Amino acid sequence: MLCCRLLTLCTRHFGSVAAGEVRTFSTDDLPLLLIITRNRSTNELLLTLKGKLNLDEVMTSLVNSVDVFQEHQAADISDERERNARLAVKEEQDAAYQESLAKDRAKAEEKRVLQEQQLVEVMKEQETLRQAEEDEREKEAISKSLADLVPSEPNTSCKEPISNIRIRTPEGDTVVRRFIASSALQVLLNFVVSKGYHLEDYKVLTTFPRRDLTSDDIDTSKSLKDLNLFPQETVILESRK
């Protein structure tokens, strides 16, 4: 019974090799000293000392066992250092990869945001251009419609009082136009708009005294003569911007 338990314990804790060697011994070999070492996470039977050995033989065997154990231990330590070094390298590589990946993602996000901003700017520019073109077409239509409303310029043989108006444009040109003096100021303003100078963009100013003929204070239904724009006057077109 005792032998069976011993073999079971040897098998469980030291492996089948140790159990097999113990099984080969006889009672004449007792007492037995089993030298067990741990090699690479496993228990191994390193040496078996029989009871017939003298003290010197036992001590020599123990010293040799210590040497073997230290060799195994040194190998284990070396292996552990190598594993730790490989693990450190792998962790460093993983960290570098994650850092690189994070930078790539940040660059991609920055690029995406920039592209979205550029797209928004392009859309704004296109909308601004479209609106400007639409406004220009609308102004051209207004200019054309007002041109049809402006009475024809009276000829030199006209018997009615005539106002000679000199219009200085922002480009430095001068437009001379004759109007019947009894014509309303609105006729002059319509003529200015018909030439492409819209009143929301330009003021119509007299030289002396300086007056803004587009001001809300001016009654555009009054005649040129009543507003002292007779017999001649110079007006200046000044940009509101």
Side-chain angles (χ1 to χ4, degrees), residues 8 15 20 39 56 66 75 86 102-103 154 160 173 221 232 236 241:
T8 300
N39 185 20
D56 290 338
V66 170
R86 288 195 299 270
K103 289 181 178 179
E160 297 186 54
D173 299 327
S221 65
Q232 62 183 14
I236 301 172
K241 298 179 181 179

Side-chain angles (χ1 to χ4, degrees), residues 212-225:
D212 181 3
L213 299 179
T214 62
S215 171
D216 293 337
D217 298 335
I218 302 295
D219 184 357
T220 58
S221 65
K222 286 187 176 182
S223 69
L224 300 178
K225 186 175 182 179

Side-chain angles (χ1 to χ4, degrees), residues 6-35:
L6 177 62
L7 292 176
T8 300
L9 290 173
C10 285
T11 302
R12 179 184 303 168
H13 295 289
F14 309 132
S16 58
V17 175
E21 183 147 350
V22 169
R23 186 180 291 109
T24 62
F25 293 128
S26 64
T27 55
D28 295 335
D29 296 323
L30 298 177
L32 293 175
L33 179 59
L34 302 180
I35 307 298

Side-chain angles (χ1 to χ4, degrees), residues 144-241:
K144 184 176 180 180
S145 64
L146 290 180
D148 296 336
L149 297 178
V150 176
S152 301
E153 185 175 13
N155 55 40
T156 55
S157 62
C158 181
K159 301 301 182 181
E160 297 186 54
I162 300 297
S163 289
N164 291 288
I165 307 297
R166 296 170 58 87
I167 304 170
R168 293 181 183 173
T169 69
E171 295 78 19
D173 299 327
T174 299
V175 178
V176 180
R177 179 63 154 79
R178 294 190 304 276
F179 296 89
I180 295 176
S182 61
S183 299
L185 172 61
Q186 189 63 54
V187 175
L188 171 59
L189 298 180
N190 289 346
F191 175 78
V192 170
V193 175
S194 71
K195 296 302 180 182
Y197 299 99
H198 290 257
L199 301 184
E200 63 266 28
D201 299 325
Y202 296 92
K203 298 177 182 179
V204 181
L205 306 174
T206 59
T207 55
F208 186 81
R210 184 180 175 87
R211 290 181 297 167
D212 181 3
L213 299 179
T214 62
S215 171
D216 293 337
D217 298 335
I218 302 295
D219 184 357
T220 58
S221 65
K222 286 187 176 182
S223 69
L224 300 178
K225 186 175 182 179
D226 291 340
L227 292 171
N228 296 323
L229 301 175
F230 173 82
Q232 62 183 14
E233 183 60 76
T234 299
V235 296
I236 301 172
L237 304 184
E238 182 180 280
S239 175
R240 296 183 184 273
K241 298 179 181 179

Side-chain angles (χ1 to χ4, degrees), residues 15 50 63 104 108 110 115 121 131 140 146 154 169 189 217 222-223 239:
K50 300 178 182 180
V63 169
D104 290 342
E110 183 179 355
Q115 288 175 342
E121 291 299 323
Q131 186 63 46
E140 288 178 359
L146 290 180
T169 69
L189 298 180
D217 298 335
K222 286 187 176 182
S223 69
S239 175

